[in-house]
Amino acid sequence: MTMRPLIVTMGDPAGVGPEIIAKAWPVLATPPGPLAPVAPFAVIGDGDVLAALGAPVQQIFSPSEAAAVFGRAIPVLHHPAPAPVTPGQPDPRNAVAVADWIERAVDLVISGEGSGVVTAPIAKAPMYASGFRFPGHTEFIAELTADMPFSGTRGPVMMLTARDLRACLVTIHVAIDQLPELVTADRVMRVARVVHESMKRDFGIKAPRLAMAALNPHAGENGAIGLQEIEVLRPAAASLRAEGINVTDPLPADTLFHDEARARYDATVCLYHDQALIPVKTLDFWGGVNATLGLPIVRTSPDHGTGFDIAGKGIARADSFIAAVRLASEMAAARATR
């Protein structure tokens, strides 16, 4: 089966996005042999920025042209940045175009011309300076797809992956002292439902096994080190199991991520940022991927930022972007078989 192309957004053109796309293309354009096929991709952004890096670029006018081009050049749906692009120096005048690239990518997937979106990094400050009102990609794409029909529990839920670890977040960028208030049974149960359904829909796992991380050390030691496990997390887990979701009671996070532990579950429900990000970055610092679950479309991204400090120096690594394209291909293929 020929897969529809993935749609890649360039991200902030002054960051490392163009460089990692250019470095990833020859790796992904080479037939992967025994590995699962990777969908070709088409880039939405300024083709001249990619060409300036020495990458072979060919302008296309429809994603349907991408597959024929991908083996010899990077297919680009050229949408120029309005202001000159200087690596390492983001320009708010280009931020509107950056948002337009994302919106156009989502539209192409909604219309069926693309199989998923892979987003290169954006920076909040220049986006906010241009009037962008979303915390980031995740929330923007969630709004862009809000009117699409979707069978299941709607996210967005952030999942970070590294090797065989899928770590899904109940809260993201919040202060630690806010967690007791924010880690509610409703939030935990909604995230677990999204993850359970995504494991089936996006990963082809018929009977997903979820592990729930505890909030307190030693899972609270029966109330001696906190009551959240007793009052919130265990009842939430019991309710989820009553719905048919295979999830553990809250488990101590310090013993949840080693090799033997990871073999016992397909995904873990983590309660706060560092609980998920520390094991992900420890397992594979360069190759982690951020995926958004619970959306009508597939969306992944590299698990790093714009790298303005190294942009233009030729030293950015494409590992995470390559992994993001591979994961998006796998998720899109799983959805296509349902």
Side-chain angles (χ1 to χ4, degrees):
M1 179 181 65
T2 301
M3 291 186 65
R4 290 167 295 152
L6 297 168
I7 310 299
V8 168
T9 59
M10 185 175 282
D12 193 305
V16 296
E19 182 179 341
I20 60 176
I21 293 169
K23 287 182 174 180
W25 169 76
V27 176
L28 295 167
T30 302
L35 298 178
V38 175
F41 61 73
V43 178
I44 293 184
D46 194 321
D48 294 338
V49 174
L50 283 173
L53 296 170
V57 171
Q58 182 169 330
Q59 184 174 354
I60 61 174
F61 299 93
S62 166
S64 62
E65 302 171 50
V69 171
F70 195 66
R72 64 178 184 273
I74 303 174
V76 176
L77 294 157
H78 184 54
H79 183 148
V85 174
T86 302
Q89 299 180 28
D91 191 325
R93 292 176 295 173
N94 288 330
V96 172
V98 172
D100 287 344
W101 298 340
I102 299 166
E103 186 166 0
R104 186 178 174 195
V106 171
D107 286 344
L108 288 170
V109 176
I110 290 174
S111 70
E113 296 177 78
S115 60
V117 176
V118 182
T119 56
I122 61 175
K124 292 181 172 61
M127 297 296 288
Y128 292 163
S130 74
F132 188 75
R133 59 183 179 84
F134 299 91
H137 270 118
T138 300
E139 296 80 6
F140 185 35
I141 294 173
E143 175 151 316
L144 292 174
T145 57
D147 293 332
M148 288 183 67
F150 183 64
S151 176
T153 307
R154 189 178 285 268
V157 167
M158 181 182 290
M159 179 183 76
L160 289 306
T161 68
R163 287 170 44 188
D164 60 346
L165 174 60
R166 303 182 185 101
C168 308
L169 287 163
V170 173
T171 69
I172 305 176
H173 297 123
V174 300
I176 290 290
D177 62 4
Q178 297 177 22
L179 291 176
E181 178 182 349
L182 295 177
V183 175
T184 63
D186 286 346
R187 280 197 176 95
V188 170
M189 291 175 66
R190 183 186 68 84
V191 169
R193 292 186 190 109
V194 169
V195 175
H196 171 78
E197 293 164 12
S198 179
M199 291 303 106
K200 293 182 174 183
R201 177 179 57 247
D202 299 323
F203 295 90
I205 300 171
K206 294 182 178 179
R209 304 163 300 162
L210 306 186
M212 182 184 295
L215 180 63
N216 295 299
H218 302 183
E221 284 198 3
N222 291 318
I225 318 177
L227 297 174
Q228 284 82 9
E229 286 72 23
I230 293 173
E231 295 179 350
V232 177
L233 299 176
R234 289 182 194 169
S239 296
L240 289 165
R241 288 192 292 270
E243 296 177 9
I245 296 175
N246 181 358
V247 62
T248 68
D249 279 336
L251 300 172
D254 62 349
T255 57
L256 190 55
F257 300 107
H258 63 84
D259 291 351
E260 292 179 11
R262 296 199 310 277
R264 296 194 287 267
Y265 58 81
D266 300 300
T268 181
V269 176
C270 296
L271 304 180
Y272 57 95
H273 183 276
D274 285 9
Q275 192 175 65
L277 271 291
I278 289 173
V280 165
K281 291 182 182 291
T282 300
L283 279 173
D284 190 352
F285 182 78
W286 296 108
V289 177
N290 176 356
T292 307
L293 309 183
L295 294 182
I297 68 169
V298 169
R299 180 260 170 157
T300 67
S301 72
D303 183 27
H304 60 71
T306 51
F308 290 131
D309 57 326
I310 62 170
K313 298 179 180 179
I315 60 175
R317 292 182 55 153
D319 309 50
S320 184
F321 181 80
I322 292 169
V325 172
R326 292 196 185 281
L327 180 60
S329 292
E330 294 167 8
M331 293 173 69
R335 289 196 180 196
T337 60
R338 288 178 60 84

